[in-house]
Amino acid sequence: MTDHYDVLVIGSGPGGATTAARAAETGKRVLLLERGDVLPRERDNWDSRAVFGDTKYTADETFYDARDRPFRPELHYYVGGNSKVYGAALLRLLPADFGEVRHPDGVAPAWPLGYDDMEPYYVRAEHLFWVHGEHGEDPFAGPSSRDYPYPPVRHEPRIQQLSDGLTELGLHPFHLPLGVHLTQDAHGRAIPDSRCIRCDRIDGFPCPLGAKADAEWAVIRPALAAHPNLTLMTSTTAQRLLTDAGGRSVTGVAATLPDGSPHTFTADIVVLSAGAILSAAFLLKSASDRHPHGLANSSDQVGRNYLRHNNLALIAFSREPNPTVFQKTLALNDFYGPGEGWPYPMGHIQMLGKSDDWQIKGAAPRGFGWAPSAPYGEVARHSIDFWLSSEDLPLTDSRITLRRDGTIRLALQPDNNTEGLTRLRLVLQGMLGKLGMLDTTFVRSLYLHKAIDHAATAHQAGTARFGTDPTASVLDVHCKAHDLDNLYVVDGSFMPSIGAVNPTLTIIANALRVGDHIAERIGTTS
């Protein structure tokens, strides 16, 4: 076993995989460590009961909240990380998100760089992750120097009807940018040799066809095939980072191998990308005499300012049947920023994957009023599913800490800027009748598959934010730790604010940006 690498990356989710692949282009020796294995391809990949009810693919992990109550977080330890079950919605932050944004409960801080700095990397990220869409459809989005590599995923008739109805109301629906390996015919149907078959299992399910642009299929597999200098080790758990005597450089990573034995890997550059929660915990666990409060934590900011959005999954009901299969094709940003009726942002609306009978049964209140005795399958035929997302604020006491036994405590502050989400729900409910739906909704709790609110960790960000002031941030503008000369963090931890759209594309774009910096630093093997 080789012990020393030029670059060592911990975590194979979108940020880690993208950085490892970019570093491998230099010809230097790169090691990608993943604590999980390859997610098995099996029928349960697409089974609602297995995925949501039995949480078959969710990590067997226990965290604790601020009151020391245990809960099981929505984490997935597989090659590709949490992207194995994400919905593949890959949206850019809006230009205003990079500046200060005022909310009723406070201010989302400005970033140390702007939209124009990120724009070229957004383009590269969209092409790397197979994004289908059309720039210019959403009038509130920032400009793009290049269009998406693939045309939008076409709406099925009921969703096209919904889009037309929103347009008639004076709104601006657009095709949701999606990372899928899809080739469509003139009617939007998947052609015979398309990897994606336009099924109803994109959202929250693993894809056994490799048709969803998760980090494994979009990045890791192609990079391993192209670069023999890239090594992937699975079922290998990083335990802590080791530093030199002066505490200024990371010298290695103490890990546990698949057979349970301890091992130390060394590297010139170490990149941490375990997700905002686990990366922060990893830095805290790596405390030493030189770093008594945790590695890279001279600012006391590691683990603080945890972000995850204020989210709501809603099921509404169409008066006419909704036979849509691939429902996740539409989004709306008309209420993203301040408006005439309210001087603050509300948030973002997009479609979810289509509910089935088992999801309806698990989420529905007793009695539907309009169809109390209908079988759940018949009720599901009328369902239309929405995802509402609004911005939460970085708070110093929304944080990750370690309990005495080393387990993770995730403390959230209640009602963190939630009025925008409440108003967004009321706005949507107020439009239902005009859009051919009943004026009722209920929460699709199985999609969130959580026992308590803390467990919703899909959009985790903000625990090691970047900035120019070492006393108020953990990382510099290149996402290198202020306190160390060779440690980088490239998951959502770096984000000082989260906006109101899915953060994955921003994480990928930033990983490309940091990857370029690392590649320039290490040079190219001739």
Side-chain angles (χ1 to χ4, degrees):
M1 182 185 300
T2 301
D3 289 326
H4 187 81
Y5 292 84
D6 296 291
V7 179
L8 187 155
V9 181
I10 301 170
S12 68
T18 300
T19 306
R22 176 64 186 93
E25 293 175 4
T26 66
K28 301 287 188 176
R29 296 166 64 196
V30 180
L31 175 63
L32 179 59
L33 292 183
E34 169 55 49
R35 69 185 296 169
D37 205 340
V38 174
L39 192 146
R41 298 175 69 187
E42 56 191 4
R43 292 185 66 176
D44 278 352
N45 289 171
W46 281 350
D47 184 84
S48 285
R49 182 184 293 271
V51 172
F52 296 120
D54 299 336
T55 58
K56 180 173 183 176
Y57 303 108
T58 303
D60 185 14
E61 189 80 72
T62 301
F63 288 177
Y64 296 83
D65 68 8
R67 296 170 59 186
D68 224 32
R69 295 175 298 182
F71 66 94
R72 187 180 182 185
E74 295 172 357
L75 299 175
H76 301 85
Y77 298 158
Y78 295 103
V79 175
N82 288 332
S83 70
K84 293 302 296 181
V85 299
Y86 81 147
L90 293 167
L91 300 106
R92 302 181 179 195
L93 287 174
L94 274 63
D97 290 323
F98 292 88
E100 285 192 352
V101 179
R102 298 197 171 275
H103 292 272
D105 288 358
V107 177
W111 288 40
L113 46 72
Y115 178 86
D116 290 344
D117 298 306
M118 288 292 291
E119 200 280 329
Y121 299 102
Y122 275 136
V123 170
R124 287 168 57 184
E126 289 160 354
H127 284 249
L128 182 63
F129 274 71
W130 319 332
V131 181
H132 293 246
E134 183 177 344
H135 284 297
E137 270 195 314
D138 177 16
F140 306 100
S144 178
S145 57
R146 190 177 175 190
D147 209 348
Y148 292 108
Y150 303 104
V153 179
R154 292 172 62 107
H155 300 316
E156 293 182 38
R158 181 63 184 90
I159 305 306
Q160 184 61 57
Q161 181 185 1
L162 173 60
S163 179
D164 294 341
L166 290 166
T167 300
E168 291 173 4
L169 293 177
L171 303 174
H172 304 84
F174 60 97
H175 288 85
L176 181 65
L178 287 172
V180 288
H181 203 291
L182 170 69
T183 306
Q184 307 170 97
D185 65 15
H187 303 286
R189 298 171 300 199
I191 67 171
D193 61 352
S194 172
R195 193 185 296 174
C196 175
I197 61 174
R198 288 193 65 128
C199 71
D200 61 351
R201 306 280 94 170
I202 185 175
D203 216 354
F205 297 88
C207 180
L209 305 181
K212 179 166 62 177
D214 61 47
E216 178 193 0
W217 283 92
V219 180
I220 296 172
R221 286 173 177 261
L224 289 172
H227 304 295
N229 54 304
L230 173 63
T231 300
L232 169 67
M233 289 192 65
T234 61
S235 302
T236 303
T237 304
Q239 300 291 352
R240 65 194 312 255
L241 296 174
L242 309 173
T243 63
D244 62 10
R248 284 292 302 170
S249 293
V250 175
T251 57
V253 177
T256 303
L257 299 180
D259 64 3
S261 63
H263 191 82
T264 298
F265 298 96
T266 61
D268 296 332
I269 290 176
V270 174
V271 180
L272 184 55
S273 188
I277 296 172
L278 294 178
S279 286
F282 196 68
L283 292 173
L284 295 174
K285 288 179 180 179
S286 299
S288 65
D289 291 342
R290 291 285 183 177
H291 302 274
H293 303 296
L295 204 59
N297 197 26
S298 64
S299 62
D300 191 33
Q301 293 298 304
V302 169
R304 297 186 185 273
N305 307 300
Y306 174 71
L307 300 164
R308 50 63 183 273
H309 281 141
N310 293 315
N311 294 316
L312 194 60
L314 287 181
I315 300 176
F317 294 97
S318 174
R319 292 187 176 90
E320 299 298 321
N322 175 23
T324 303
V325 177
F326 196 102
Q327 180 176 259
K328 192 180 176 74
T329 58
L330 180 145
L332 193 72
N333 274 335
D334 287 75
F335 309 104
Y336 197 96
E340 294 181 3
W342 200 50
Y344 302 107
M346 291 188 209
H348 167 80
I349 299 173
Q350 64 181 245
M351 307 307 297
L352 281 172
K354 185 75 172 66
S355 288
D356 60 22
D357 54 350
W358 198 87
Q359 292 167 333
I360 294 287
K361 180 179 180 181
R366 292 191 176 187
F368 287 96
W370 59 279
S373 60
Y376 289 109
E378 178 62 23
V379 175
R381 289 184 63 234
H382 290 260
S383 71
I384 297 183
D385 307 75
F386 296 92
W387 175 260
L388 281 62
S389 180
S390 69
E391 185 165 22
D392 57 335
L393 297 174
L395 303 176
T396 57
D397 290 332
S398 286
R399 63 184 301 197
I400 287 87
T401 55
L402 300 179
R403 301 166 76 234
R404 289 186 177 181
D405 61 359
T407 54
I408 293 172
R409 175 179 287 115
L410 173 55
L412 295 178
Q413 302 310 305
D415 301 321
N416 181 351
N417 200 46
T418 56
E419 186 177 356
L421 183 65
T422 300
R423 288 175 175 267
L424 189 63
R425 178 177 185 171
L426 293 174
V427 166
L428 175 62
Q429 289 178 315
M431 295 189 295
L432 293 180
K434 300 174 184 177
L435 297 170
M437 286 175 271
L438 300 169
D439 59 351
T440 183
T441 62
F442 62 86
V443 175
R444 183 172 153 183
S445 55
L446 280 178
Y447 180 78
L448 300 174
H449 53 97
K450 61 183 188 293
I452 62 172
D453 196 39
H454 294 60
T457 57
H459 291 185
Q460 55 184 285
T463 58
R465 59 183 179 182
F466 73 161
T468 57
D469 181 359
T471 68
S473 58
V474 178
L475 311 172
D476 67 14
V477 176
H478 295 298
C479 291
K480 183 187 75 66
H482 290 299
D483 299 349
L484 297 123
D485 60 21
N486 64 340
L487 175 63
Y488 294 80
V489 183
V490 296
D491 51 36
S493 306
F494 85 98
M495 298 175 69
S497 65
I498 197 171
V501 295
N502 313 53
T504 305
L505 188 73
T506 299
I507 293 170
I508 298 164
N510 182 66
L512 287 167
R513 184 182 70 89
V514 176
D516 280 357
H517 167 78
I518 292 174
E520 182 178 358
R521 175 172 173 174
I522 63 177
T524 301
T525 299
S526 58

